[in-house]
Amino acid sequence: MKVIGLTGGIGSGKSTVSRFLGEMGAVVLDADKVGHQAYQPGTETWKELVAAFGEDIVASDSTIDRRKLGAIVFADPEALARLNRIVHPRMFDMMKARIEEYRGQGTEVIVLEAAILLEANWTPLVDEVWVTVASESTVVQRTRERTGLPEEQIKARIRSQLSNEERSQQAKVVITNDGDLEELRVKVEELWQELRK
Ligand code: ATP
């Protein structure tokens, strides 16, 4: 079995590449979704978060109110680091367990899609890192269309993340995604064929 860690900056095409790989036969594990499951009520992580950030972050149905938590950590790097120290190791363990489960089922290719794969030090989970990159103007245009966020906010997000160069240095495969969707699909198909050799 091969585990691909797929990462890349905002709007660079991670989800689209995951979708293509999924259509070709890979199992896709989305770190965001695992993140949502990581702090369900009753878990150790839930308790740690409430202890760290207060009862205010608990919604009426006992789940963590992600919007409130987001507002707390948004402007406070120390709070964000605290949140990450609580949640990231839990996500690592959950993703590891899921990967082992798939291994037991004879799965051949898993794609772990994670925007923060490198930042969270999750690379021990994967056999190779693939990175999607697109130019700033492409990212701004696509992200504006998708989210409606203003250009300045998108640029601020880009600047707050690792650069394409920093990511690419750690990657086995760099997927440049400045062309159209068909061009991207052809690139992914070639990579898939290579993988299956
Ligand atoms: P985010 O980090 O914001 O979740 P992402 O890296 O997962 O983004 P996608 O969601 O795959 O990126 O792509 C961002 C947007 O750009 C989507 O609306 C997607 O459909 C579109 N897109 C991606 N690649 C292309 C392409 N080659 N041509 C046209 N549109 C594209």
Side-chain angles (χ1 to χ4, degrees), residues 9-16 113 142 146 177 179-181 184:
I10 175 175
S12 58
K14 299 177 290 295
S15 310
T16 308
E113 180 192 341
R142 288 182 188 153
R146 193 171 72 84
N177 181 22
D180 63 15
L181 280 173
L184 181 63

